[in-house]
Amino acid sequence: MKVGFVYDPIYLKHDTGQHPENAKRLEAIISHLERTGLTQQLTPIRPRAASIEELSLVHDEQYISHIRDVAQKGGGWLDVDTVMSSNSYEAALYAAGGVIRATEAVMNGEVDSALALVRPPGHHATYEQAMGFCLFNNVAIATKCALANYKLERILIVDFDVHHGNGTQAAFYDNPHVLYISTHEYPFYPGTGSIEETGSGTAEGTTINIPLPAGSGDTEYLEVFEQIIVPAAIRFKPQLILVSAGYDTHWADELALMQVSVTGFAQMVKIIKGLGDELCDGRLVFSLEGGYNLEALAASIKATFDILLGNTIIEDRLGQPPRSFEAPSIAPLIKKIKEIHKLV
Ligand SMILES: [Zn+2]
């Protein structure tokens, strides 16, 4: 099993200071992968900068120029959450280009699957707005490139970051070639992602939102994966699967209130890998979104790689959440989503 990984030191140069989304995240991941010997099992994929033409598949050209200009002037805050330094534009070009390269490597058969360890993250970035730590929408850009360059008809995007990927949803809201499925804490930042948001026009039904109550953990996530994501994916028959892999769903993460463990992430990835193997020759591209507890993030990334590699032993030193949240009842929510999307 050949599993690619995208990484480049340029991603550390997006300097956000004391911000939770900072370079220490990738440093923690890389050192954990090296310490555990996992790096030797992976195939490195060199990222490149995305071209303006590629970025323009998702973003307004004036917005792209604006991000370049802010970087040239030394950086600054784009909104209350999102900050740039002088090297952030270049890092963001390589983040988008890294996911494009990962997708190319999977489509060309250089690797079976890939995980792009990039920053800044992407799923909140809209057509003309940076938000939620995101500058360019890496997964949406790679998806548009794959649709165009490989003449694909159907791409599935699974987004398990704890936040709703409003930017990705918007990029494909009226595009029937992309099925976007998001699990997220709700109500929560950025406010979008209700079950009623299902796509528009000919794309009606190709956005599936699974807004979960705070306190949802491994049991609830696996239930949702098995009851909604699996049948929806099987019905859609994707030719490629991209994953907005955000690990801020972990119980130790301080930015949100979910209760997923490293073991839970491994089980979710295993289900996605099963779908890839069954539906699209295993063509899977994961892209790092959130995840702010360094230990949980590094362990969860390793678990993701382990599952993609077919390794069976998953290390979970952090274990299950120490506080016992009362398990939320999500059966009525699952029933309602299945009705809306006609999933049996
Ligand atoms: Zn997030």
Side-chain angles (χ1 to χ4, degrees), residues 183-296:
T183 54
H184 45 274
E185 184 174 331
Y186 189 86
F188 200 46
Y189 183 89
T192 49
S194 78
I195 55 174
E196 285 86 18
E197 295 161 34
T198 55
S200 68
T202 55
E204 176 64 50
T206 61
T207 293
I208 301 181
N209 280 307
I210 307 167
L212 293 166
S216 297
D218 295 357
T219 310
E220 289 74 30
Y221 270 82
L222 292 177
E223 190 76 7
V224 154
F225 265 68
E226 278 159 14
Q227 296 225 30
I228 300 172
I229 298 181
V230 168
I234 290 172
R235 183 174 67 188
F236 187 67
K237 300 186 184 70
Q239 297 156 299
L240 169 68
I241 301 175
L242 278 88
V243 182
S244 267
Y247 298 89
D248 38 11
T249 323
H250 192 277
W251 61 260
D253 201 284
E254 288 183 357
L255 263 65
L257 293 169
M258 291 313 210
Q259 298 283 285
V260 174
S261 69
V262 171
T263 303
F265 282 122
Q267 288 168 314
M268 283 152 57
V269 172
K270 200 168 182 181
I271 292 173
I272 295 171
K273 183 171 185 294
L275 287 171
D277 289 342
E278 184 184 335
L279 302 172
C280 51
D281 297 326
R283 287 193 290 268
L284 295 176
V285 179
F286 284 66
S287 180
L288 177 63
E289 300 283 359
Y292 306 98
N293 177 293
L294 300 185
E295 194 183 352

Side-chain angles (χ1 to χ4, degrees), residues 36-199:
T36 53
L38 202 85
T39 322
Q40 289 112 317
Q41 298 179 52
L42 303 170
T43 305
I45 298 170
R46 275 181 76 97
R48 60 170 171 83
S51 67
I52 303 299
E53 198 184 356
E54 288 167 335
L55 298 180
S56 304
L57 294 169
V58 170
H59 297 287
D60 177 35
E61 284 199 32
Q62 282 186 2
Y63 167 70
I64 299 166
S65 312
H66 173 64
I67 297 297
R68 186 197 58 210
D69 293 347
V70 174
Q72 276 174 359
K73 287 173 185 146
W77 289 86
L78 300 170
D79 75 351
V80 291
D81 301 308
T82 315
V83 67
M84 283 178 65
S85 65
S86 55
N87 290 310
S88 295
Y89 176 67
E90 198 189 356
L93 293 182
Y94 273 83
V99 186
I100 295 171
R101 269 296 297 133
T103 308
E104 288 170 350
V106 167
M107 290 304 299
N108 297 342
E110 296 162 47
V111 293
D112 296 297
S113 58
L115 167 50
L117 298 171
V118 300
R119 59 183 291 276
H123 73 154
H124 295 304
T126 71
Y127 177 65
E128 54 187 3
Q129 200 180 347
M131 58 185 280
F133 322 162
C134 302
L135 302 182
F136 300 133
N137 196 316
N138 309 320
V139 165
I141 293 163
T143 300
K144 288 247 177 159
C145 288
L147 285 172
N149 298 340
Y150 298 96
K151 300 195 169 40
L152 299 182
E153 294 286 321
R154 292 173 313 279
I155 296 180
L156 166 64
I157 300 174
V158 178
D159 184 336
F160 61 67
D161 188 278
V162 80
H163 303 97
H164 180 241
N166 59 298
T168 312
Q169 171 173 299
F172 301 108
Y173 207 64
D174 56 2
N175 186 334
H177 301 290
V178 177
L179 173 61
Y180 176 69
I181 309 181
S182 175
T183 54
H184 45 274
E185 184 174 331
Y186 189 86
F188 200 46
Y189 183 89
T192 49
S194 78
I195 55 174
E196 285 86 18
E197 295 161 34
T198 55

